[in-house]
Amino acid sequence: KIMSQLDGGGHPFAASTTVVGFDYGEIKNFLTYLITGKDKPVSQFIKNDLPVVESDLSLNQVKSIINRFKYVVVLQSGKYAGILTDKTVNNAIKHGLKDEKAITFAQELITVSPSITFLQLLKVVSNYDIGIFPVVEKGFYKGVIYKKNIVETLAGLNEDKPLFNLPSKVKMINYSERLKRFFPKDVLDLLKEIGKFSEKLGYRSFIIGGVVRDIVLGKQNLDIDIIVEGSAVDLIRKYAKENNLTYHVYPEFMTGNIVFPSGLKLDFATARKEEYDSPGSYPKVEKATLFEDLYRRDFTINTLAIEITYSNFGKLIDYFNGLVDIKEKRIRILHTLSFVEDPIRILRALRFAGRLGFKLENKTENLLKHAVEKDLLNFAPTGRINLELNLTFKEEKVLDILKLMDKYKVLYKLFGITLDREKEKILVKLQDNFLIFKELLNINFPSSNYIYALLSNYPEEIAYNLLKKYHFDKEAKYLNEFLSAFKTIEESQDRYTIYKTLKSFNKEFLPALTSFLDSEKFKVIIDLLKKEKNPLIKGEDLIKLGLKPSPEFKTILEDIFVKYLNDYFESKEMALSYIKKKYLKEV
Ligand code: ATP
């Protein structure tokens, strides 16, 4: 009965629940209240002490109203539309967005109805790590309930101090069994050892970010990032020296890595917080707690941490409800200015959405659209855009991601392009071509082939400028060769000319080149490459015929090869008898 009040459950002899945003002392107060307290109306907790503004007020105007308050309530046509914090308003103005409307960056937050009972309210408050809960009835704003008041009321029932000094405001789950299943034993042992070492130095260490997300999703990943509450550089140096391991440290960034004999590389960073001076710029960095380190991250799904410090090994820490978002397949930013502070996150959001088949959470989607519309990508360093695009091109779901980039007009903003049917067809072909040519030529084709496919409609000069703008320097360098090779191959019917053109062409870009050709030409090219790989006649065949190696070999082989390209011979025997007739006599 008690646990069910907190959305938990169990059976007659045992029950459990998860509560976020409270420390142990507060939870004890909660339980005491649930056991002894009577349910009561919440009207006494509803305060009406926040300024209220209309949604189309500019942030500059909001700033003059918000004054000494921490929050301001935003109304749209008289109805509740969200809450703006003083921090959001100040940061947005710092980023040059003073004329934006209040509604743009307002957060909807979790609202409650004025008829909610105290017990129900406890449930809500225990589920969300938020300081205020707007009270809304039929869409109209009625006031707010402060979590602080609820906690104080509960504390009044029980004067005990908290039992432990655990980090508060956190959901913790034991993941040690999951870790055992996820990591190979040698990796798990290493993490344990580093956790022990870390504890000896008085530091706490956590694996965080992408690898934890993938542990939850059950997707293989050995790209392990470790955050150290303490000094990562100190830990790396001491651990590596003690164990005689190769390591690199970058003290100015408070990061580094250790390379193990198995080839495994572990990346370490001191828990840091960052300040962004202008949209997209590289941030200033200083030491911080794990919470602050996670708070600067891009999406809730990337904010999970698992502690590896010996005495807490395997505890998953979820400050931002990342687990729920993974379960619900949602990409959610951590605060409303996220895309403004770093517009690269626009590209990352779509990359993760495409890769994982996740949706953008509503507010995140609106803010992403807004950021694209406001041309914020123009403020991002083009080098970082290049990195993100290259990561996108390497993704298995690259087509889904490009489609999302088209849907949200990102391709249009970056390159002035949209994906029509024709271009989609080229992209699908290109994806197949990577496999076909890999089999045939065994070359590692650069994923930047995609950039040629994307820019295929443009005249050379425009394409060249776009390639240069986004630092696809190699692709810019080969553009002219690419286009003239394409023209020759497209127009020529002569197999030898096509072959010669291919021969002098940088084969790295063959997948893109061939994705523009019709199926007949495509077949010809495959045929030519196969013939090149397995020539009908080799030098050794000439020797067997009694010919002595000489400069003439080249002439003979070339003659045979050209005829072979044009399907002149039906078999090797035919070629041999041709050689006998034409060259043996002469010799
Ligand atoms: P992948 O599986 O693609 O490697 P990842 O999550 O490990 O995904 P990285 O690009 O390696 O991605 O970044 C590591 C972590 O750093 C991310 O999980 C994220 O928390 C954080 N991060 C990376 N880029 C940003 C950014 N632009 N803004 C905020 N946080 C970021």
Side-chain angles (χ1 to χ4, degrees), residues 8 28 34 64 113 157 180 247 326 502 541:
K28 188 174 169 191
L34 289 174
S64 63
S113 134
L157 297 167
K180 256 191 225 159
Y247 71 94
I326 293 180
L502 281 180
D541 297 310

Side-chain angles (χ1 to χ4, degrees), residues 538-583:
K538 296 182 188 150
E540 62 205 48
D541 297 310
L542 300 186
I543 293 170
K544 273 191 207 148
L545 285 178
L547 286 162
K548 292 238 153 51
S550 73
E552 182 157 26
F553 262 42
K554 200 169 165 245
T555 320
I556 302 176
L557 289 174
E558 182 116 344
D559 178 18
I560 300 296
F561 190 62
V562 174
K563 293 198 160 51
Y564 179 41
L565 290 184
N566 286 303
D567 293 333
Y568 184 81
F569 304 120
E570 273 163 25
S571 64
K572 184 167 175 173
E573 285 62 42
M574 270 180 83
L576 288 173
S577 70
Y578 169 85
I579 295 170
K580 279 185 208 157
K581 233 192 256 161
K582 179 159 178 197
Y583 292 102

